[in-house]
Amino acid sequence: MTGATLERGLNAFKEQVDAPVAAFFSSCVNCGMCAEACLFYTETGDPKYTPIRKLEPLRRVWEQEYTVLGKLKKMLGLARPVTDELLQEWQELLYDSCTLCGRCAMVCPVGNDISYMVRKAREGMVASGNSPADVRSAAERAVRIGSPMGLKYKALAAQIKRIETESGIKIPLDVEGADYMPLLSSMEIINFPEYIEALARIFRQAKVSWTLCSEAFEATNTGIQIGSSDIARELVQRIVDGAEKLRVKCVIAPECGHAYTSIRWEGPNLIGRPFPFKVLHILELLDELRASGRIKTENLSNERMTFHDPCSIVRKGGVIDSPRELMAMVSTNFVEMQDHGKWNWCCGGGGGVSANTNAEALRLKVFKRKKDQIEQTGATKLITACANCRLVIEEGLEEYHVELPLEGLTELVAQHLVEDK
Amino acid sequence: MNALNTTPVPIEKFTAVEHRFGNTLPLLHEISHALHRLQVEGTVTTLDLNAVPFGPGDERQLVDFLGRGEVSAKLEAMGDSHIRESRYSGVWIVEHWNTSGERVAFQIEITKLPALLEAQQEDIAESLLMLQAALENARNGASV
Amino acid sequence: MVDTKTKTLGEILRHSGVSRRGFLKFCTATASMMALPPGMVPAIAAALDKARRPSVIWLSFQECTGCTESLTRSHSPSLENLIFDHISLDYHHTLQVASGDAAEAAREEAMHANAGSYLVVVDGSIPLGNPGYSTTAGFSNLQILEETAAGAAAVIAVGTCAAFGGLPKADPNPTGAVSVRDIVTDKPVINVSGCPPIPVVITGVLAHYLTFGTLPELDQYGRPKAFYGTSIHDRCYRRPFYDKGLFASTFDDEGARSGWCLYKLGCKGPMTYNACATAKWNEGTSWPVESGHGCLGCSQPDFWDAGGFYNALSIPVGELSRTVSYATAAGLGLGAVAAGINHRSKVEANRRHGEVTVDDLEKTS
Amino acid sequence: MNESMDFLLWTRGTAFDVSVAIFIVGMLIRLFEIVSLGRGRDLAAPRGTEFLPGIRTILSRTLPYGGTFKRQPLTVIAGYLFHIGLLVSLLLFIPHIELFRETFGFGWPGLPNPIVDAAAVLGITGLLAALWNRLTNPVMKMLSDSEDYLVWILTFLPLLTGYLAYHRMINPYPLAMGLHILSIELLLVLFPFTKLMHTFTLFLARWYNGAMSGRRGVES
């Protein structure tokens, strides 16, 4: 098969409709409550961004292919078809204005999981060639080069070398039989290498057996972002292969939202078998080390800090309490945002939005929600656990001329770590 | 017959319970308003109680409530009629029976004097003729 | 002897020594019987004073004589007697002395002598299935009705059979029974429905015609509004219990003893229009609801087919449980078919899935 | 002749049987259609369970989240009003309970008519408010298609005709009751083929949502 066609797109939509999708569409009464949970609506006031409306193409396919009345209408020519024009128009709605944050799924009175369906609808968009060009090229880079940002192992090797020299800590590489194999996101390698150093210091202190894998270090998965299970499978398979080769017990997802989703929740389903290793988010691991007393902190900061919950890790990942426990390890003046935990508002850049230049203006506009939320807390430092959130927030704050330092939670823990000299 | 008498046939003892169905109260209010109209405007009102859906006991409750006043009249014309004032002056209870002793009308009149008690114009005219004829007879020598 | 055919009612009464008071009392009773407001008494008196005696021909078709029984055993015979004294009942199968040719001759004579002004009273429905189902003197009911109604001023259909077809018309209507109104379309037809109708309602209609020489105002079923204007439910003394939600659930429970609403026991009062609640039965003694039994709805068309007498009005006529079981069986079958089709559709879509690689992201045109 | 009684008997007889049959067959087809699409087995190691969180979400979504309630009070209040009004009128009016008792062989206690009457008024008010909201709220206005308005009418008519029949505001009564039953029959016939289905599928939808979240350790 070569190339994307409408026919392949329609077939993909058809494949994606399952019992939950059918139950969700059957249940929607167009009450519009999901709009009120979506920052793309609340910040623009434009009803076209109402979450459930973004699913119109998928809804039509469901209705026309899987319901008695819809089939009848289609037969009589009364059904509104899904055309290429419709899909083109919907690209903005399914990509630019949805971060898959899943907040709408929390408020829907009939219980529709809209982000679940957006993720599925994107499969049809990809197969019909209606995915955004930027995300497309990122996917190409990820598959062909190894990372969406076009970064190769060489770059990581250089960072490792630099960190080893600066900190004097050896970073294990390709160690067979290690317990933990942390993954990294390209952003961490390029923008936040402090994360790697923090890991090294914490693991050294906690005497954790760990290793990086030179063949499987990239955690990000543009297949998930663009919405192609086939591409996502290829990328996940690389990690599985690496982990299996090194026979690690546990793979650690980095401070990156969608990477956690792709390796923790979608991965086994993509490759069609359960993993022979565990998958933990770094915050979960740190919390385990804390609980078992293997790491301790000192010189707690009394600076007013707040925590931004990355949607994929918290609301959609279930890592809700660990960040709170860890914040308590580093700060005596931690404040929650008004809507926090599973009710948190998205930074506006998840789900591939930050990689999509078409969405840039809109993303900066809707960032106001996050900015207001942060300002309301009066915090002077913002902590998060997702490199993408971190970049998006930094960019957003700059746009709104807000001066506020940002830090990753893992680094912060490392900063306050009690280390045996 | 004896056999039948000895056959045990249980007969349920039924004591009629009089329930208050609440239909008299609105009627009493209506009477009260009518009485007020009689006092102020002199308007006469007649209520046909055959048109009121009484439940068992409702009628007795109403009649007991109205009680007995000073005036009571009995009329004998095509069966008996009882016209009596209730304890509320101006409120009259009028009942008409037919010649077979069955009640054919039951009314409450709110008036100074029920019209039926007055001598009727046609009867007066007839009476006058009869009286004159009787006097004529007397003058002609018949004994009075 | 006064010639009752030419004198007015007023003249006849005065001649019989009835005083004006007596006459007024009679008028009061008549007004009450016709369910007219007491204020109408003077008008009734004036009208009755001048009323003349009409000729009445009574025809009986597919009936049980219950309507005649109801009328003749009514609780105020002297009042009806008065009325009947002043109508001329020239033909009535059951009541007349004459029989055979003499009877039929009496009917023809009455029709002749009073052409265009006599009243026809009908009880019973008319079978159209086969004229032989019901005949009188060799004539089918249809023939007699058409012939007799031709010269009538109006026809009074007494009882639910004559008014709406009644029991003979009940499903499956073996005789092809129809109502008077189905046959007589060019004359006023007054329906006095009920099984049987309340006697004073029958006499009330006659009294109305006698008094005013006109027919009373009718409802959409051709029934006099004065008697059929409000439903049993609206005039029921047990209505407050309905409103409070207090219902008897069986005929011997506490609710039944306390005189609560009989809706659950199948009372059709809400849909039934009749004067039972005020006129009552058996010399004004009681009426069905007062005696503890729900209204059967006998004065409504098709009451016999309107569901079980002891089923609440809200319960549909058919056998709902049966419909539910059949439909469930059918639904399970069709549902399995629909499920099969959907399943196949999805399997087919999965089969047609071509792997999307990064080379497939661009549209081909 | 006898139109309104014939009409009432038709609505209580043939029409009722037909519409109940269509309703049941349609419902089963629709439910089979949904369930037959299946749900892939989740191979990811679960953090939590599915069953109880699913049940929990079925219950918890009955209450609105405070944040959205503050943003759209009218949607929430109108929704509550008409749903409660509808359910009370449908399930707690004694004549209706008699119908259920006849159909299923069991019944339950009802409420006094004045309370049901008040619930019906609330229901009607709620539906009118919901319609107004649908016509004026920009989101709902944009989302709504003809089906939404059809469904509104199908829901409104039984309440309205029921109210009018109970208060005997349409005469004669057999016509009023016939109209009321007919409006229910319309509702029953179209129910399985419109979004009225949410009455039943929302339990599925909420369960799926709660179960999928519960598996990840999130209470949704």
Side-chain angles (χ1 to χ4, degrees):
Chain A
M1 290 249 189
T2 48
T5 59
L6 178 63
E7 199 197 333
R8 288 187 73 178
L10 293 178
N11 193 64
F13 281 126
K14 222 171 134 178
E15 266 184 280
Q16 288 299 322
V17 175
D18 59 3
V21 171
F24 295 156
F25 282 134
S26 300
S27 302
C28 179
V29 291
N30 283 344
C31 74
M33 290 301 272
C34 49
E36 308 301 334
C38 177
L39 74 171
F40 288 93
Y41 170 71
T42 62
E43 301 314 298
T44 61
D46 190 337
K48 76 174 178 179
Y49 294 126
T50 303
I52 194 70
R53 187 173 174 272
K54 297 171 184 170
L55 293 161
E56 180 63 11
L58 185 64
R59 196 195 67 76
R60 286 191 196 176
V61 169
W62 159 75
E63 191 182 4
Q64 293 163 24
E65 301 294 336
Y66 295 120
T67 71
V68 164
L69 198 66
K71 283 182 222 177
L72 190 71
K73 279 206 277 192
K74 192 183 171 190
M75 228 189 297
L76 299 174
L78 297 170
R80 283 170 298 180
V82 175
T83 61
D84 203 45
E85 291 70 43
L86 179 84
L87 296 181
Q88 272 173 38
E89 191 189 338
W90 249 256
Q91 188 189 100
E92 187 210 355
L93 301 177
L94 281 166
Y95 287 98
D96 302 9
S97 62
C98 179
T99 62
L100 297 174
C101 83
R103 201 170 187 275
C104 47
M106 298 293 291
V107 304
C108 176
V110 296
N112 290 351
D113 189 340
I114 296 170
S115 63
Y116 174 82
M117 294 195 282
V118 171
R119 165 70 185 82
K120 282 174 163 285
R122 286 185 182 181
E123 296 275 349
M125 297 298 278
V126 171
S128 65
N130 285 296
S131 52
D134 289 336
V135 191
R136 230 152 52 196
S137 19
E140 281 166 19
R141 282 193 298 274
V143 171
R144 297 213 170 95
I145 304 171
S147 119
M149 295 171 96
L151 156 151
K152 296 187 175 178
Y153 174 66
K154 270 196 308 196
L156 175 60
Q159 286 286 22
I160 290 175
K161 200 164 173 202
R162 190 181 58 78
I163 294 164
E164 283 182 336
T165 324
E166 281 173 18
S167 64
I169 307 172
K170 172 92 182 95
I171 292 178
L173 188 69
D174 295 331
V175 179
E176 280 194 34
D179 287 347
Y180 295 97
M181 181 181 111
L183 303 173
L184 301 167
S185 75
S186 311
M187 285 183 198
E188 282 159 339
I189 300 168
I190 298 170
N191 305 61
F192 311 115
E194 310 88 280
Y195 173 74
I196 306 171
E197 188 187 334
L199 280 187
R201 289 176 52 202
I202 294 168
F203 289 164
R204 182 183 62 178
Q205 175 62 29
K207 301 188 173 56
V208 166
S209 135
W210 69 294
T211 180
L212 285 179
C213 176
S214 60
E215 284 164 23
F217 59 87
E218 178 59 64
T220 60
N221 191 324
T222 38
I224 297 293
Q225 293 180 320
I226 199 169
S228 166
S229 296
D230 291 338
I231 295 173
R233 180 183 312 113
E234 191 174 340
L235 299 173
V236 164
Q237 190 65 53
R238 292 177 185 172
I239 297 170
V240 176
D241 290 346
E244 285 180 340
K245 189 174 157 196
L246 297 180
R247 290 178 284 106
V248 297
K249 293 199 182 87
C250 183
V251 169
I252 304 298
E255 290 198 347
C256 171
H258 86 275
Y260 183 61
T261 298
S262 63
I263 191 70
R264 174 70 176 88
W265 302 114
E266 289 214 22
N269 298 312
L270 288 168
I271 66 164
R273 62 183 168 92
F275 289 161
F277 47 82
K278 256 178 91 175
V279 178
L280 283 180
H281 189 261
I282 180 63
L283 296 188
E284 287 179 284
L285 176 58
L286 295 184
D287 192 29
E288 273 179 23
L289 297 176
R290 174 201 62 81
S292 58
R294 290 167 74 184
I295 55 170
K296 291 195 165 53
T297 51
E298 60 189 0
N299 304 326
L300 270 57
S301 161
N302 64 358
E303 189 178 0
R304 199 172 174 82
M305 293 182 197
T306 188
F307 182 74
H308 164 73
D309 294 277
C311 311
S312 289
I313 295 167
V314 180
R315 174 163 47 241
K316 295 178 72 186
V319 185
I320 301 172
D321 299 330
S322 300
R324 269 89 204 158
E325 299 287 355
L326 296 172
M327 283 306 295
M329 281 182 90
V330 296
S331 170
T332 54
N333 196 4
F334 169 61
V335 289
E336 290 278 22
M337 296 187 206
Q338 203 191 2
D339 286 324
H340 62 269
K342 64 181 186 183
W343 287 109
N344 180 48
W345 289 89
C346 181
C347 65
V353 171
S354 63
N356 178 359
T357 43
N358 296 340
E360 197 169 305
L362 184 62
R363 167 166 65 83
L364 288 169
K365 181 167 188 193
V366 304
F367 178 75
K368 186 171 179 298
R369 165 65 51 173
K370 190 82 241 171
K371 186 211 75 168
D372 291 347
Q373 223 194 341
I374 296 167
E375 283 184 334
Q376 235 178 22
T377 62
T380 53
K381 195 178 214 173
L382 178 66
I383 313 302
T384 188
C386 169
N388 186 53
C389 292
R390 197 161 153 188
L391 277 177
V392 168
I393 293 172
E394 272 175 359
E395 207 181 309
L397 290 175
E398 200 182 310
E399 173 78 13
Y400 286 90
H401 310 291
V402 180
E403 288 283 333
L404 189 77
L406 256 90
E407 226 163 326
L409 185 48
T410 309
E411 292 155 55
L412 199 63
V413 171
Q415 280 168 31
H416 293 272
L417 190 68
V418 182
E419 283 176 287
D420 304 325
K421 292 294 173 219
Chain B
M1 280 314 269
N2 254 352
L4 194 64
N5 284 339
T6 53
T7 310
V9 177
I11 297 170
E12 290 286 330
K13 196 175 164 231
F14 180 73
T15 41
V17 193
E18 277 192 8
H19 303 285
R20 295 180 177 231
F21 293 98
N23 291 327
T24 48
L25 203 64
L27 200 63
L28 287 168
H29 278 290
E30 207 176 323
I31 292 171
S32 151
H33 291 306
L35 198 56
H36 179 72
R37 281 198 302 275
L38 179 66
Q39 182 204 0
V40 178
E41 306 158 17
T43 320
V44 173
T45 309
T46 307
L47 304 172
D48 184 2
L49 298 187
N50 274 350
V52 176
F54 277 135
D58 276 340
E59 182 186 324
R60 232 191 67 194
Q61 202 192 343
L62 176 74
V63 171
D64 287 352
F65 188 95
L66 291 176
R68 280 185 165 276
E70 292 162 341
V71 187
S72 175
K74 185 179 167 197
L75 198 79
E76 288 172 59
M78 294 175 71
D80 286 352
S81 292
H82 288 163
I83 300 176
R84 59 174 202 271
E85 201 177 22
S86 74
R87 77 161 70 110
Y88 306 99
S89 186
V91 178
W92 301 78
I93 299 164
V94 181
E95 287 173 285
H96 296 307
W97 279 266
N98 64 18
T99 45
S100 319
E102 286 150 350
R103 194 170 73 180
V104 292
F106 179 32
Q107 298 182 321
I108 293 201
E109 283 192 46
I110 295 94
T111 181
K112 285 182 179 164
L113 184 71
L116 211 57
L117 286 180
E118 290 175 18
Q120 306 293 314
Q121 198 61 40
E122 291 88 338
D123 293 342
I124 294 170
E126 211 162 290
S127 303
L128 182 59
L129 288 177
M130 280 165 62
L131 185 57
Q132 282 169 345
L135 287 175
E136 189 67 25
N137 283 348
R139 203 171 42 190
N140 291 345
S143 57
V144 181
Chain C
M1 193 58 213
V2 182
D3 179 5
T4 52
K5 293 216 164 161
T6 53
K7 295 284 184 193
T8 66
L9 183 61
E11 287 166 343
I12 298 164
L13 287 175
R14 252 191 305 287
H15 189 85
S16 343
V18 173
S19 69
R20 183 69 187 174
R21 273 202 189 95
F23 180 66
L24 283 178
K25 173 177 159 179
F26 169 64
C27 292
T28 302
T30 306
S32 181
M33 182 176 70
M34 287 192 283
L36 292 172
M40 289 290 285
V41 171
I44 292 168
L48 274 181
D49 226 359
K50 299 187 187 67
R52 280 172 206 281
R53 159 188 170 133
S55 165
V56 172
I57 297 174
W58 187 300
L59 304 174
S60 299
F61 298 145
Q62 292 194 124
E63 47 87 41
C64 66
T65 317
C67 298
T68 301
E69 287 289 322
S70 168
L71 181 65
T72 53
R73 286 166 200 272
S74 63
H75 72 280
S76 47
S78 58
L79 191 55
E80 272 83 22
N81 282 352
L82 255 178
I83 297 293
F84 281 107
D85 280 350
H86 302 98
I87 64 168
S88 168
L89 187 52
D90 293 322
Y91 178 85
H92 190 302
H93 281 172
T94 320
L95 301 181
Q96 73 193 145
V97 177
S99 64
D101 289 342
E104 294 310 306
R107 178 169 68 91
E108 271 157 39
E109 195 200 313
M111 284 164 59
H112 235 58
N114 305 293
S117 68
Y118 62 89
L119 290 176
V120 176
V121 177
V122 179
D123 64 340
S125 62
I126 303 101
L128 295 185
N130 180 334
Y133 284 146
S134 173
T135 60
T136 307
F139 296 102
S140 74
N141 291 169
L142 179 65
Q143 282 173 309
I144 296 176
L145 178 59
E146 283 178 338
E147 186 188 309
T148 315
V155 181
I156 303 173
V158 166
T160 300
C161 296
F164 307 124
L167 262 61
K169 192 183 166 228
D171 189 50
N173 192 3
T175 63
V178 296
S179 70
V180 171
R181 277 202 165 199
D182 291 329
I183 306 294
V184 181
T185 49
D186 57 346
K187 292 268 147 54
V189 176
I190 308 158
N191 286 333
V192 181
S193 63
C195 191
I198 303 171
V200 297
V201 177
I202 307 177
T203 45
V205 173
L206 290 172
H208 193 285
Y209 187 74
L210 179 65
T211 310
F212 299 111
T214 58
L215 299 172
E217 198 191 346
L218 305 179
D219 72 358
Q220 67 137 204
Y221 296 120
R223 303 178 298 198
K225 273 192 176 163
F227 300 105
Y228 297 92
T230 39
S231 70
I232 296 289
H233 186 63
D234 283 337
R235 310 235 72 185
C236 181
Y237 74 95
R238 297 196 187 200
R239 175 65 183 272
F241 295 111
Y242 173 84
D243 290 335
K244 283 184 210 136
L246 298 173
F247 297 91
S249 295
T250 62
F251 284 108
D252 59 353
D253 69 359
E254 194 48 43
R257 272 190 282 275
S258 308
W260 289 355
C261 177
L262 299 165
Y263 185 95
K264 281 188 182 179
L265 292 170
C267 181
K268 304 293 185 290
M271 69 161 198
T272 309
Y273 289 77
N274 208 341
C276 302
T278 48
K280 304 194 178 179
W281 290 79
N282 298 330
E283 303 177 22
T285 307
S286 181
W287 60 292
V289 169
E290 188 170 339
S291 69
H293 190 289
C295 166
L296 301 181
C298 76
S299 60
Q300 291 300 102
D302 301 326
F303 81 97
W304 198 259
D305 293 323
F309 285 159
Y310 301 101
N311 280 353
L313 183 56
S314 57
I315 295 175
V317 178
E319 277 187 56
L320 197 51
S321 319
R322 201 183 55 193
T323 308
V324 169
S325 2
Y326 285 178
T328 306
L332 289 174
L334 291 170
V337 172
I341 294 173
N342 270 9
H343 183 71
R344 245 190 31 207
S345 234
K346 194 163 173 201
V347 168
E348 173 65 11
N350 285 333
R351 197 184 59 76
R352 286 171 53 201
H353 174 89
E355 194 185 337
V356 178
T357 68
V358 283
D359 298 317
D360 295 321
L361 300 179
E362 293 282 349
K363 277 186 210 177
T364 53
S365 45
Chain D
M1 196 63 234
N2 313 339
E3 299 86 355
S4 70
M5 260 318 272
D6 288 344
F7 174 61
L8 176 62
L9 287 187
W10 178 73
T11 58
R12 291 179 63 206
T14 319
F16 200 85
D17 281 341
V18 169
S19 52
V20 165
I22 292 178
F23 172 75
I24 292 173
V25 171
M27 282 292 298
L28 287 168
I29 289 180
R30 286 300 308 277
L31 292 175
F32 272 78
E33 271 177 355
I34 293 169
V35 177
S36 66
L37 289 169
R39 179 177 156 226
R41 196 160 68 89
D42 195 341
L43 301 168
R47 178 180 283 122
T49 55
E50 290 204 340
F51 184 72
L52 285 176
I55 300 294
R56 192 186 166 278
T57 300
I58 287 179
L59 300 174
S60 68
R61 288 295 164 105
T62 308
L63 296 171
Y65 172 59
T68 40
F69 173 61
K70 264 179 242 152
R71 290 186 58 89
Q72 277 308 329
L74 185 57
T75 307
V76 176
I77 291 168
Y80 268 106
L81 272 185
F82 91 73
H83 278 104
I84 291 173
L86 209 58
L87 288 177
V88 169
S89 320
L90 172 67
L91 298 177
L92 297 175
F93 185 48
I94 285 161
H96 297 166
I97 298 173
E98 289 307 299
L99 171 62
F100 292 119
R101 193 194 306 281
E102 174 71 11
T103 315
F104 305 118
F106 60 90
W108 48 85
L111 285 176
N113 293 350
I115 297 177
V116 178
D117 187 33
V121 172
L122 289 182
I124 289 171
T125 315
L127 271 172
L128 290 171
L131 179 65
W132 189 76
N133 197 22
R134 198 170 274 292
L135 291 169
T136 54
N137 175 306
V139 169
M140 291 182 86
K141 204 169 137 188
M142 182 161 207
L143 287 179
S144 303
D145 56 12
S146 49
E147 191 187 326
D148 289 291
Y149 296 103
L150 171 71
V151 162
W152 185 88
I153 292 168
L154 290 177
T155 316
F156 186 68
L157 284 182
L159 263 181
L160 181 72
T161 53
Y163 181 84
L164 292 177
Y166 174 70
H167 289 278
R168 309 182 82 83
M169 288 156 95
I170 301 176
N171 280 308
Y173 183 77
L175 176 67
M177 175 128 174
L179 286 173
H180 178 56
I181 297 173
L182 184 66
S183 70
I184 302 291
E185 287 161 356
L186 269 178
L187 182 83
L188 285 175
V189 166
L190 291 170
F191 193 103
F193 308 106
T194 56
K195 54 186 64 182
L196 288 167
M197 272 300 281
H198 79 275
T199 314
F200 295 93
T201 56
L202 75 80
F203 295 101
L204 269 179
R206 286 179 181 179
W207 189 82
Y208 282 133
N209 186 319
M212 292 191 289
S213 298
R215 204 161 201 285
R216 298 179 181 200
V218 183
E219 280 187 355
S220 77

